[in-house]
Amino acid sequence: ETGVTQTPRHLVMGMTNKKSLKCEQHLGHNAMYWYKQSAKKPLELMFVYSLEERVENNSVPSRFSPECPNSSHLFLHLHTLQPEDSALYLCASSVEKVGNEQFFGPGTRLTVL
Amino acid sequence: QKEVEQDPGPLSVPEGAIVSLNCTYSNSAFQYFMWYRQYSRKGPELLMYTYSSGNKEDGRFTAQVDKSSKYISLFIRDSQPSDSATYLCAMSGGTYKYIFGTGTRLKVLA
């Protein structure tokens, strides 16, 4: 595997389900990000982890819960989501240095019924 | 006013044309600039990264930053149908947070 990988690529869940998105980076980076991409909207930064500590949380609803067990893996735990949470969820990574390039994974297409 | 403005398009051009994609921004603290290409239902792919003002060239792609006008551009020479995608600009003032434009859809017609 190379670059940034994400699983699953597609997910359909009911509003009462609990699911998790997984991201893994193979670039030797030490900062990882979760973004939400909705139609006709700019990418929204949800969470940033640097050196495995969360450094930024942009007032994301508590039904989204991130976890970063090490510098290569990032999870987004989902529970009791709403239909408006349906979107493409993108993971990215970068070298732990502000202003550095961010490299994205292919995304997980989430549909909440 | 949005921090980053980008025309959503779609922009349609014939194959071989020079394409100009642009973003304007309002925050004078921005100094790191990136352009991404995103194909339908895929993740963004980094095309160009520039710091501060000036030009940067990579193959058929040229990125320009004009900080005095708060304006950045991406030029694509000899455009190909495979260049058809959405192009996103992103910028940062030196934190982990990049601000993204909404993206411009480009169609290159064969």
Side-chain angles (χ1 to χ4, degrees):
Chain A
E1 295 277 17
T2 59
V4 180
T5 58
Q6 290 186 243
T7 55
R9 295 294 309 277
H10 301 273
L11 178 62
V12 179
M13 58 188 288
M15 293 167 62
T16 58
N17 292 158
K18 286 185 180 181
K19 297 285 184 183
S20 294
L21 309 184
K22 179 183 175 183
C23 175
E24 184 172 358
Q25 60 92 4
H26 310 267
L27 299 168
H29 292 164
N30 45 23
M32 297 185 77
Y33 311 77
W34 279 117
Y35 285 88
K36 176 183 179 183
Q37 187 175 35
S38 304
K40 301 189 188 305
K41 287 186 171 182
L43 268 69
E44 301 172 51
L45 179 63
M46 300 176 73
F47 301 102
V48 179
Y49 276 85
S50 175
L51 298 175
E52 299 158 37
E53 290 191 14
R54 192 161 72 194
V55 297
E56 194 158 328
N57 173 356
N58 290 275
S59 303
V60 176
S62 60
R63 56 186 183 269
F64 295 91
S65 174
E67 179 189 359
C68 188
N70 55 61
S71 60
S72 298
H73 294 87
L74 184 65
F75 295 89
L76 187 63
H77 304 297
L78 316 171
H79 64 97
T80 60
L81 294 191
Q82 304 298 309
E84 60 264 28
D85 297 322
S86 298
L88 182 68
Y89 287 85
L90 293 160
C91 173
S93 71
S94 72
V95 173
E96 199 269 319
K97 179 180 175 183
V98 295
N100 255 19
E101 305 99 306
Q102 294 183 10
F103 294 87
F104 284 85
T108 295
R109 174 70 58 184
L110 173 66
T111 302
V112 181
L113 301 175
Chain B
Q1 183 188 9
K2 293 181 184 176
E3 277 194 284
V4 177
E5 299 272 5
Q6 187 175 11
D7 188 329
L11 175 63
S12 294
V13 301
E15 183 176 357
I18 296 175
V19 176
S20 173
L21 303 166
N22 311 294
C23 288
T24 58
Y25 61 94
S26 57
N27 189 341
S28 58
F30 288 153
Q31 50 187 328
Y32 302 94
F33 304 91
M34 296 190 289
W35 284 97
Y36 288 89
R37 176 175 62 196
Q38 186 174 22
Y39 292 112
S40 181
R41 300 189 175 276
K42 304 286 186 185
E45 172 195 5
L46 181 64
L47 284 178
M48 301 290 281
Y49 170 83
T50 52
Y51 169 69
S52 195
S53 284
N55 294 0
K56 184 175 181 179
E57 189 173 322
D58 184 0
R60 295 186 297 114
F61 299 92
T62 299
Q64 284 187 353
V65 175
D66 182 346
K67 290 188 71 180
S68 61
S69 302
K70 298 192 183 68
Y71 189 89
I72 67 171
S73 300
L74 177 71
F75 297 96
I76 307 174
R77 290 183 299 282
D78 188 26
S79 56
Q80 303 295 311
S82 58
D83 295 326
S84 298
T86 297
Y87 290 79
L88 308 173
C89 63
M91 47 199 81
S92 170
T95 70
Y96 291 103
K97 186 172 183 179
Y98 272 86
I99 306 298
F100 283 79
T102 50
T104 299
R105 274 183 57 206
L106 172 66
K107 296 181 181 180
V108 181
L109 307 172

